[in-house]
Amino acid sequence: MRLERGSFKRGAALGVVIASLTLVSACGGGKGPEVYGEKRGGLWPFGGGDSGPAQTQIGVNGYLWRASLDTLAFMPLASADPYGGVIITDWYSAPEAPNERFKATVYILDTRLRADGLNITVFKQTRDAAGNWADAPASAQTETDLENAVLTRARQLRLSNLNG
């Protein structure tokens, strides 16, 4: 369908585009007081106002997130997505075993501090005689040990937060 100059359809289409742009710019244009933790006139956009600055929240349990980063701190970090709850490490070789390397992926699946809200996958590679890396099966016990270490650290963080 061709829009001709001055036609009703063109005017309606232009009106829809302008209305859409106006709505989009109103949604994310400026940073309001809730972003910076300021009060303007004692009012917050959604009530309250006496609870202090607004908190930025991640989409997963904060204790599991922090504990995962603490537990895997010895491995180089490849990527971390706090909103999706995924931490991916880069390959790590222990100094005492230079012919094998490990990589871990952590999935935080819940906003609650629960054992089933955490899943860790470990990948292993070994170096062959030619010096090439080849995939090898990682021990399921390694994944379980890492998950237990993360859960223990998360409980410690939670208790330290509750005690002051």
Side-chain angles (χ1 to χ4, degrees), residues 101-122:
R101 64 184 185 174
F102 295 91
K103 183 177 188 172
T105 303
V106 178
Y107 300 99
I108 300 173
L109 308 169
D110 202 344
T111 58
R112 297 171 292 174
L113 179 54
R114 296 172 42 114
D116 61 352
L118 177 70
N119 184 13
I120 298 179
T121 305
V122 177

Side-chain angles (χ1 to χ4, degrees), residues 53-152:
Q55 302 276 329
T56 302
Q57 295 184 355
I58 60 176
V60 297
N61 183 278
Y63 298 118
L64 286 175
W65 179 258
R66 182 77 248 163
S68 298
L69 291 174
D70 289 351
T71 303
L72 296 174
F74 68 95
M75 299 178 86
L77 191 63
S79 82
D81 178 13
Y83 299 103
V86 179
I87 299 171
I88 302 172
T89 67
D90 206 355
W91 290 104
Y92 169 76
S93 291
E96 60 272 4
N99 289 330
E100 64 181 16
R101 64 184 185 174
F102 295 91
K103 183 177 188 172
T105 303
V106 178
Y107 300 99
I108 300 173
L109 308 169
D110 202 344
T111 58
R112 297 171 292 174
L113 179 54
R114 296 172 42 114
D116 61 352
L118 177 70
N119 184 13
I120 298 179
T121 305
V122 177
F123 303 95
K124 179 181 177 182
Q125 288 185 340
T126 56
R127 194 183 318 229
D128 60 13
N132 298 321
W133 291 103
D135 291 337
S139 168
Q141 187 62 41
T142 304
E143 293 175 354
T144 303
D145 291 344
L146 275 174
E147 286 178 2
N148 288 336
V150 169
L151 290 168
T152 300

